[in-house]
């Protein structure tokens, strides 16, 4: 047994300091669908847990605003996925949520917890005797020479090639979302695209969220690119599996040609991976299957395969191309 202390987050005035107390050993508890798993695996060993479910004001979300959609960090994945305005005007956001996990998990899991979920790399979760710089800095990376079919092709380093597994963050990056976080020094805003870090030589530092900082809400600016969007997810089985490759794409089409495009890939990189070069391939051109495929190839530029995952370069390019054709039919 590893002892830890448990506290319910204080509500109302003075909330910030009470939440942030505890420092590095503190973990917030939202739905618990990832945190409990990692504690049972001895990967996470918090000394103090702050249960934030008492902060009911973080459960709300509002998709009716003229300028932005606002999602409290404790909004549940299933509630947000089923929102009629999201389904109609931002299908990529809704799809990224309902194509994740299972209905039971989505009923428990919060949006804030979803963003901060950790990699599913088996060497990270498997514990000793496997080397993992993310779990135990300096121990090495067993995936480099090990089973790496599901590992990253983009954004990896000698220290780590674990992918970022989440779906929702990939779709949020396509809409240039932001998160507001609350810490001891008050509130600050982080661009979703800069929330997750590439591993470099410090793979254990996964995000720019500081210890003790609480994600309060996610904000998505309204955009004409919403309707012609999709989150296309390819996996080993049709349901209840993480992405082998995914793409969040959003288009604005004027007449025959693409006026604006966003392409972000998931399941292939160490963080949600925005592909600006691929977006540029589309601008001002008619979206044909050939152009979509050219954008797919551009999205995978720089991909570096390991022993078992070469096939996911082609899979990734096809996923982007298919996503673009699906989104274009919604324009
Ligand atoms: C079997 C299984 C399959 C899954 N499949 C998928 C999938 O296909 N796609 C996908 O995207 N996800 C998938 N998931 C992950 C799932 O979506 C996450 O477990 C869930 O979203 C986490 O939310 P939670 O509220 O339960 O977080 P918790 O487990 O409570 O917390 C997760 C982490 O986030 C921190 N945290 C939580 N809320 C906040 C906050 N507001 N501010 C700061 N830190 C916070 C916690 O301290 C903890 O470190 C799967 C999970 C399981 C168990």
């Amino acid at each position: 047994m590893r002892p830890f202390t448990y506290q319910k987050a204080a509500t109302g005035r003075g909330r910030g300091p009470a939440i942030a107390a505890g420092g590095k050993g503190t973990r917030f508890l939202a739905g618990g669908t990832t945190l409990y798993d990692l504690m049972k695996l001895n990967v996470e060993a918090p000394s103090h847990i702050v249960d934030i479910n008492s902060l009911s004001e973080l459960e709300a979300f509002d998709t009716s605003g003229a300028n932005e959609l606002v999602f409290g960090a404790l909004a549940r994945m299933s509630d947000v996925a089923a929102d009629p305005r999201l389904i109609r005007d931002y299908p990529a956001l809704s799809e990224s949520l309902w194509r994740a996990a299972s209905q039971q998990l989505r009923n428990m899991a919060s949006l804030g917890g979803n963003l901060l979920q950790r990699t599913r790399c088996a060497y990270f979760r498997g514990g000793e005797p496997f080397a993992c710089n993310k779990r135990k800095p300096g121990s090495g990376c067993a995936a480099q020479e090990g089973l790496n079919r599901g590992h990253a092709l983009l954004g990896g380093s000698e220290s780590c090639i674990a992918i970022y597994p989440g779906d929702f963050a990939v779709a949020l990056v396509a809409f240039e979302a932001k998160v507001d976080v609350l810490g001891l020094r008050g509130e600050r805003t982080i661009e979703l695209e800069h929330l997750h870090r590439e591993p470099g030589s410090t793979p254990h530092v996964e995000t720019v969220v500081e210890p003790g900082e609480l994600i309060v809400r996610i904000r998505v600016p309204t955009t004409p690119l919403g309707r012609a969007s999709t989150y296309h997810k390819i996996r080993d089985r049709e349901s209840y599996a993480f992405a082998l490759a995914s793409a969040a794409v959003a288009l604005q089409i004027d007449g025959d040609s693409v006026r604006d495009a966003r392409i972000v890939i998931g399941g292939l990189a160490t963080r949600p991976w925005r592909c600006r070069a691929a977006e540029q391939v589309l601008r001002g051109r008619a979206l044909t299957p050939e152009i979509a495929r050219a954008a797919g190839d551009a999205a995978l530029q720089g991909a570096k395969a390991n022993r078992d995952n070469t096939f996911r370069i082609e899979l990734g390019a096809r996923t982007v191309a298919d996503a673009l054709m699906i989104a274009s039919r919604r324009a």
Side-chain angles (χ1 to χ4, degrees), residues 299-317:
L300 270 290
Q301 254 171 30
K304 188 171 166 291
N306 295 96
R307 191 190 63 197
D308 304 329
N309 62 5
T310 311
F311 75 99
R312 284 169 53 241
I313 297 179
E314 174 67 17
L315 184 67

Side-chain angles (χ1 to χ4, degrees), residues 5-21 26-30 48-58 74 182 212 214-215:
T5 47
Y6 171 92
Q7 172 195 0
K8 280 193 176 169
T11 53
R13 278 155 71 87
R15 191 182 78 182
I19 287 170
T26 299
R27 288 288 178 278
F28 295 117
L29 175 67
H48 186 58
I49 286 189
V50 178
D51 184 343
I52 59 173
N53 287 287
S54 47
L55 305 177
S56 52
E57 66 270 31
L58 301 191
L74 277 180
L182 175 69
L214 177 79
I215 296 181

Side-chain angles (χ1 to χ4, degrees), residues 228-281:
S229 74
T230 191
Y231 184 75
H232 191 45
K233 180 172 175 182
I234 306 299
R235 39 194 160 167
D236 280 326
R237 57 180 180 223
E238 187 49 35
S239 168
Y240 197 26
F242 287 91
L244 277 177
S246 72
V249 306
L251 297 170
Q252 190 179 6
I253 297 185
D254 251 1
D256 279 344
S257 67
V258 175
R259 181 161 167 194
D260 201 2
R262 307 266 173 77
I263 301 177
V264 185
I265 54 181
L268 294 160
T270 53
R271 59 176 173 80
W273 196 263
R274 181 148 177 199
C275 311
R276 288 189 169 77
E279 295 170 3
Q280 201 48 41
V281 169

Side-chain angles (χ1 to χ4, degrees), residues 19-301:
I19 287 170
K24 276 195 170 173
T26 299
R27 288 288 178 278
F28 295 117
L29 175 67
T33 62
T34 277
L35 184 62
Y36 287 150
D37 266 10
L38 293 175
M39 287 170 70
K40 286 189 252 178
L41 291 168
N42 279 326
V43 171
E44 290 270 10
S47 53
H48 186 58
I49 286 189
V50 178
D51 184 343
I52 59 173
N53 287 287
S54 47
L55 305 177
S56 52
E57 66 270 31
L58 301 191
E59 286 169 13
F61 64 95
D62 180 4
T63 56
S64 65
N67 299 320
E68 58 183 18
L69 323 178
V70 182
F71 303 96
L74 277 180
R76 304 292 153 171
M77 289 171 73
S78 51
D79 293 336
V80 176
D83 179 68
R85 166 116 197 257
L86 214 61
I87 293 170
R88 190 189 64 201
D89 292 342
Y90 297 86
L93 289 177
S94 168
E95 288 166 358
S96 73
L97 289 167
W98 71 254
R99 293 199 160 122
S102 65
Q103 186 66 42
Q104 290 92 334
L105 282 159
R106 294 191 295 270
N107 290 345
M108 285 297 292
S110 68
L111 300 187
N114 184 282
L115 296 183
L116 297 188
Q117 66 180 285
R118 307 192 69 188
T119 186
R120 311 301 286 193
C121 171
Y123 301 110
F124 169 72
R125 292 170 65 89
E128 305 292 343
F130 300 114
C132 175
N133 287 320
K134 204 183 257 305
R135 179 172 33 78
K136 190 173 173 190
S139 63
C141 174
Q144 306 277 357
E145 303 297 328
L147 300 174
N148 46 39
R149 177 177 182 269
H151 286 74
L153 300 147
L154 293 157
S157 70
E158 280 179 10
S159 300
C160 181
I161 50 171
I163 62 158
Y164 170 72
D167 295 303
F168 188 47
V170 176
L172 286 174
V173 171
F175 293 115
E176 299 185 339
K178 299 174 171 60
V179 287
D180 296 328
V181 297
L182 175 69
L184 273 177
R185 281 168 299 189
E187 227 175 92
R188 67 184 179 112
T189 298
I190 302 169
E191 305 272 337
L192 221 299
E193 190 178 2
H194 301 130
L195 179 71
H196 297 96
R197 292 166 41 119
E198 286 176 33
S201 56
T202 53
H204 58 290
V205 187
E206 294 172 350
T207 70
V208 299
V209 177
E210 287 173 10
E213 271 187 326
L214 177 79
I215 296 181
V216 179
R217 70 186 77 78
I218 300 161
R219 291 184 288 124
V220 180
T222 53
T223 166
L225 284 91
R227 282 207 177 184
S229 74
T230 191
Y231 184 75
H232 191 45
K233 180 172 175 182
I234 306 299
R235 39 194 160 167
D236 280 326
R237 57 180 180 223
E238 187 49 35
S239 168
Y240 197 26
F242 287 91
L244 277 177
S246 72
V249 306
L251 297 170
Q252 190 179 6
I253 297 185
D254 251 1
D256 279 344
S257 67
V258 175
R259 181 161 167 194
D260 201 2
R262 307 266 173 77
I263 301 177
V264 185
I265 54 181
L268 294 160
T270 53
R271 59 176 173 80
W273 196 263
R274 181 148 177 199
C275 311
R276 288 189 169 77
E279 295 170 3
Q280 201 48 41
V281 169
L282 301 175
R283 288 198 182 98
R285 302 174 82 168
L287 184 56
T288 61
E290 293 72 30
I291 293 295
R293 175 60 207 229
D297 288 335
L300 270 290
Q301 254 171 30

